[in-house]
Amino acid sequence: MARLVRAALMRGGTSKGVVFRAADLPPAGAARDAVIVAALGPDSTGLAIDGVGGGVTSTLKAAVVAPPSKPGFAADYHFAQVSRGGGIDWRSSCANFASAAALVAADDGMALREADGSAVVRLWASGAGEALSVTLPATDAPPVAIAGVRGEAPPLRVEFELGGHALLPTGRPEEEGLRLGDRPLRATIVDVAGNPQVLVRAVEGGLRGDEAAEEATAALVWEAVDALLDEAAGRVGLKARPSGMRLLWLSARRDHCLAGGGAVAAAECDLLSRVSAGSRVHHAHTGTGALALACAAAVPGTVAHELVRGGGGGGCGGGGEAGAELRIAHPQGVMRVHASVGRDADGRHVAHSAGMVRTARYLMVGEVVV
Amino acid sequence: MARLVRAALMRGGTSKGVVFRAADLPPAGAARDAVIVAALGPDSTGLAIDGVGGGVTSTLKAAVVAPPSKPGFAADYHFAQVSRGGGIDWRSSCANFASAAALVAADDGMALREADGSAVVRLWASGAGEALSVTLPATDAPPVAIAGVRGEAPPLRVEFELGGHALLPTGRPEEEGLRLGDRPLRATIVDVAGNPQVLVRAVEGGLRGDEAAEEATAALVWEAVDALLDEAAGRVGLKARPSGMRLLWLSARRDHCLAGGGAVAAAECDLLSRVSAGSRVHHAHTGTGALALACAAAVPGTVAHELVRGGGGGGCGGGGEAGAELRIAHPQGVMRVHASVGRDADGRHVAHSAGMVRTARYLMVGEVVV
């Protein structure tokens, strides 16, 4: 018998998925997972024909907004990454989709209204163990565009509280002995709130670096990418690689064209990045990857820092360790991210905070049928 | 300001899209088109990130159910095919998605209840000028599976009333002088209710014929496919090619494996078909293409008839012109279609009716935000 579950189909940044309230779902566990997977309808063809989801990681997302499990937070943000095969991963996070969860929490009265008319939603992302706040503007704030999304919408300031987290989980700005297939390469493993990202130079990783997502997807051997990520996960002590752990192919800034039209001048960005997303290259850029990149660009010796300095970029890497902005050129345009990093008492590089502006909107409200 | 429009996100057969009631939309025209395109959110990346649609023709569909504009019908079925670029085509039809529109019409009280508990919804598909009826089973009917869709659902019998329509718009079972790029090929143009389909032998059209959709998509030069379809449209007197006009690559039945798992034995099908859908090969099979194929297989001299007879198939082609069933192997399994064809007083081959069993379901109900 069909069952109706209240839900909102939403875009958050360059991601799409379903936001539920915890009270509308079975308790966390197999029954809740079954509702979410049935609602999204992942399938091997990548069309999710029998559900409201899509065919790639960016369109197979769900979030459960719940009353806060920790003091000082407005709500819990339980993020679920569903795979094409119907698996569900609650351990990762999604910075893009956090903006959608925050909109729902605010509409449910969980936001703190500020004197200037803006509202702050402080979220506990339980899976990745992250604290973040999303600031919704006052209603008269001008709308903004973000690369990869049509039109404009009110700007949502997404800020991660990184709590002095050590950035280099292996203690090294550059790994030794890693390979992509039979290619040796330099790599940096950078950890932002428990979700390590692997940064390599695009040319060493089999790309030019300015490819469209589909072109880059076709150029790569995905078994080799998986093997590299598995090896990196092992180096940081993870037995199972979380779905949010990605490979980033970086290159120095340059003039280049976008497949969807338009061009990016070298002066408009600090570096170029292409990010893995399952067995393909992400259509735009992951939020978590962008945060990691902004942090890494401020740490001498990392692949990101070298490319930003070498490319003459004016972002974090150029300006040392302050809270400067990094402009990342991805397959659909330029994304701006800022990071505040420093060193702890032992001299280790640590991250204090990082953030970016996203937009989000309700696409459909009502009930999913499962 | 965001606007909420009542809608149902639905799967119909192997298609997905939004079903609206006419009363909830602006009158037909630019304002209605704008609501539909905004709701689906097509974009160049093929993810429809800012809407409820997906990235391919199968997931960029909409239907408007309206009170009947012609006597004898339960409802009008105004079908809209949206393209990635945001265009909208009201002239074509979709046999798969008709099953979803019929479910909505039935739930709105438009169905005729039969004595056995089944219900019949007779629809007028205004764009293509087609009459069809969808029979919903009695509530205790056992559910069925269709190839390309997970699970089971109640069977919906979709039957097109073809009204003695001439099947061969050029008068010939085989065209002369058509080419795909620089390859000459044999082709049949078959017309089912104003939506011509072009049938070729897979090997002459650049395929083996048993490829998975992605493999076939990559193997083809799509400019050449478009040129062939444009030439065929010209031959039947169409100035602009409707989006529902497709190329079908056919091959004789054989044992083969499916990319999603499983295999099809030669004895389980009458022929293999791969269908164009925009600049890719359809993940499963179009309903309209399947109807055309079932009709063509009954007409001597067509590409379909030759392959079915040559392959030893027991379908329409083997059985002459009666209402036999054709079993079409597509990239996700086998689809069964039946057709009733004959000859008119002038000896021309005509179609009386054709149909198939689909399933459909509500994926989400509520309001789209546009």
Side-chain angles (χ1 to χ4, degrees), chain A residues 11 16 38 48 50-51 53 150 369, chain B residues 11 16 38 48 50-51 53 150:
Chain A
R11 174 181 66 77
K16 182 161 78 169
D50 199 45
R150 63 176 182 175
V369 186
Chain B
R11 175 182 65 77
K16 182 162 76 166
D50 199 45
R150 63 176 183 177

Side-chain angles (χ1 to χ4, degrees), chain B residues 147-229:
Chain B
V149 177
R150 63 176 183 177
E152 297 185 326
L156 307 178
R157 204 149 45 77
V158 182
E159 191 74 21
F160 285 75
E161 304 167 17
L162 299 173
H165 191 86
L167 277 170
L168 303 174
T170 65
R172 294 180 294 268
E174 188 177 305
E175 297 303 302
E176 290 188 2
L178 283 179
R179 309 180 78 81
L180 183 71
D182 55 7
R183 297 166 183 265
L185 41 66
R186 283 169 286 176
T188 296
I189 304 177
V190 57
D191 188 330
V192 177
N195 219 343
Q197 308 290 304
V198 181
L199 319 180
V200 302
R201 285 174 179 263
V203 287
E204 296 180 2
L207 295 179
R208 289 192 312 274
D210 62 357
E211 288 91 344
E214 289 187 7
E215 184 187 358
T217 297
L220 292 160
V221 177
W222 289 95
E223 292 76 9
V225 173
D226 285 337
L228 171 61
L229 287 170

Side-chain angles (χ1 to χ4, degrees), chain A residues 7 9 11 14 16 37-38 41 45 47-53 56 150 283 332 361-369, chain B residues 7 9 11 14 16 38 41 45 47-53 56 150 283 332 361-369:
Chain A
L9 184 58
R11 174 181 66 77
T14 51
K16 182 161 78 169
V37 172
T45 68
L47 296 177
I49 275 294
D50 199 45
V52 305
V56 297
R150 63 176 182 175
H283 66 104
Q332 296 194 48
R361 82 174 189 95
Y362 289 87
L363 303 174
M364 185 168 183
V365 292
E367 290 96 33
V368 290
V369 186
Chain B
L9 184 57
R11 175 182 65 77
T14 51
K16 182 162 76 166
T45 67
L47 297 177
I49 275 294
D50 199 45
V52 305
V56 298
R150 63 176 183 177
H283 66 103
Q332 296 193 49
R361 82 173 188 97
Y362 290 87
L363 303 175
M364 184 168 183
V365 292
E367 289 96 33
V368 290
V369 186

Side-chain angles (χ1 to χ4, degrees), chain A:
Chain A
M1 197 58 207
R3 173 170 161 200
L4 297 179
V5 181
R6 188 169 71 119
L9 184 58
M10 302 194 76
R11 174 181 66 77
T14 51
S15 293
K16 182 161 78 169
V18 183
V19 178
F20 296 95
R21 280 84 168 180
D24 297 321
L25 288 174
R32 176 177 288 188
D33 290 4
V35 167
I36 290 173
V37 172
L40 287 170
D43 61 36
S44 63
T45 68
L47 296 177
I49 275 294
D50 199 45
V52 305
V56 297
T57 55
S58 299
T59 55
L60 283 171
K61 294 178 184 284
V64 181
V65 173
S69 60
K70 289 167 83 90
F73 288 85
D76 276 12
Y77 163 48
H78 299 294
F79 173 74
Q81 179 67 59
V82 172
S83 70
R84 272 194 188 194
I88 190 163
D89 179 0
W90 290 100
R91 294 168 306 149
S92 68
S93 178
C94 176
N96 270 295
F97 206 54
S99 61
L103 262 194
V104 171
D107 286 337
D108 285 357
M110 290 164 161
L112 286 179
R113 186 65 54 180
E114 304 282 307
D116 65 357
S118 68
V120 176
V121 184
R122 192 160 177 253
L123 296 173
W124 173 244
S126 53
E130 286 171 350
L132 65 142
S133 64
V134 179
T135 304
L136 287 59
T139 50
D140 58 353
V144 300
I146 62 172
V149 177
R150 63 176 182 175
E152 297 184 326
L156 308 178
R157 205 148 46 76
V158 182
E159 191 75 20
F160 285 75
E161 304 166 19
L162 301 174
H165 190 86
L167 277 170
L168 303 174
T170 64
R172 295 178 295 268
E174 190 178 303
E175 297 303 301
E176 289 187 2
L178 283 179
R179 308 180 78 82
L180 183 70
D182 54 8
R183 298 165 184 264
L185 42 66
R186 284 168 287 175
T188 296
I189 305 177
V190 58
D191 188 330
V192 177
N195 219 341
Q197 309 289 303
V198 181
L199 319 181
V200 303
R201 286 175 178 261
V203 288
E204 297 180 1
L207 295 179
R208 286 192 314 274
D210 63 356
E211 287 92 345
E214 290 187 7
E215 184 187 357
T217 297
L220 292 160
V221 178
W222 289 95
E223 291 77 9
V225 172
D226 285 338
L228 172 61
L229 286 170
D230 286 339
E231 164 73 17
R235 289 195 182 195
V236 300
L238 292 171
K239 282 199 186 116
R241 171 159 57 90
S243 59
M245 185 173 177
R246 312 296 179 95
L247 183 58
L248 279 69
W249 289 263
L250 310 180
S251 53
R253 68 183 191 168
R254 74 185 88 144
D255 298 338
H256 63 283
C257 293
L258 302 173
V264 174
E268 296 174 285
C269 62
D270 297 311
L271 84 176
L272 281 64
S273 178
R274 299 295 183 268
V275 191
S276 70
S279 292
R280 56 178 62 216
V281 166
H282 196 282
H283 66 104
H285 204 284
T286 57
T288 308
L291 300 176
L293 210 40
C295 293
V299 177
T302 68
V303 172
H305 185 266
E306 284 176 16
L307 284 168
V308 171
R309 288 183 78 95
C316 302
E321 300 186 353
E325 186 180 69
L326 187 74
R327 299 166 303 169
I328 303 166
H330 61 63
Q332 296 194 48
V334 176
M335 176 179 191
R336 293 160 182 268
V337 199
H338 61 266
S340 169
V341 305
R343 286 177 189 260
D344 67 9
D346 300 324
R348 294 183 307 172
H349 293 278
V350 296
H352 301 302
S353 66
M356 70 196 112
V357 169
R358 303 281 78 193
T359 64
R361 82 174 189 95
Y362 289 87
L363 303 174
M364 185 168 183
V365 292
E367 290 96 33
V368 290
V369 186
V370 295

